[in-house]
Amino acid sequence: KRLKSSSNKDTFEQLKQAVEKKDDINLLIYKFEDATTDQMRDYENRLKQTFDNLVIVFASLSNNKLIFTVSVDDSLTNRYDAGKIVREISQLTGGNGGGRKNFAQAGGKDISKVDLALERAHQII
């Protein structure tokens, strides 16, 4: 999904509606245009207060740069490792990154492969 400029409230409503149920988890995979890491973290924190068992994968395209963030609910870190997920998807775009089991981020180089990377995230979660 692509996001153009809109208010934070509208964006948050769009994100809530984009959360899908996958087995026993809530999953959100979303692509932004020009979102900063801080904005993505803010949305992640707000979504975590709204949904239990949530795994979030965000990508943001800005100035020909690609940023991925992965957030995993603490109750799911025994099954999903944000660091491993972000590393695997960012490597598809020529990037790399990592972090903790519950949050990780990475950069990517080849913005043409962002959809491929997000599809891979859907497969591994």
Side-chain angles (χ1 to χ4, degrees):
K1 294 183 174 78
R2 285 189 174 255
L3 180 70
K4 291 292 179 191
S5 63
S6 64
S7 76
N8 276 351
K9 188 171 191 275
D10 290 344
T11 302
F12 186 64
E13 290 304 315
Q14 287 177 7
L15 292 172
K16 286 194 324 190
Q17 291 174 14
V19 173
E20 62 181 282
K21 195 83 171 145
K22 187 172 181 186
D23 300 320
D24 62 339
I25 68 165
N26 288 302
L27 176 61
L28 176 60
I29 297 176
Y30 204 86
K31 179 171 61 177
F32 291 93
E33 298 283 340
D34 296 323
T36 66
T37 306
D38 288 343
Q39 287 170 319
M40 291 190 293
R41 287 290 289 158
D42 180 58
Y43 288 130
E44 287 166 357
N45 290 330
R46 289 168 60 193
L47 287 161
K48 281 180 166 181
Q49 294 171 10
T50 308
F51 295 94
D52 291 326
N53 298 326
L54 182 63
V55 177
I56 303 170
V57 179
F58 282 159
S60 179
L61 300 164
S62 180
N63 298 325
N64 283 334
K65 291 183 182 171
L66 188 52
I67 302 168
F68 294 102
T69 63
V70 177
S71 179
V72 175
D73 190 287
D74 289 335
S75 67
L76 298 172
T77 54
N78 59 330
R79 293 167 40 201
Y80 302 101
D81 183 325
K84 288 180 180 173
I85 294 168
V86 85
R87 194 169 305 113
E88 183 169 342
I89 66 174
S90 67
Q91 286 174 350
L92 292 172
T93 66
N96 208 341
R100 302 181 311 274
K101 285 187 168 196
N102 65 348
F103 179 78
Q105 68 184 49
K109 294 178 183 156
D110 187 347
I111 61 172
S112 70
K113 294 188 176 169
V114 65
D115 292 329
L116 176 72
L118 294 177
E119 181 56 38
R120 181 69 186 129
H122 211 276
Q123 293 167 359
I124 60 180
I125 298 171

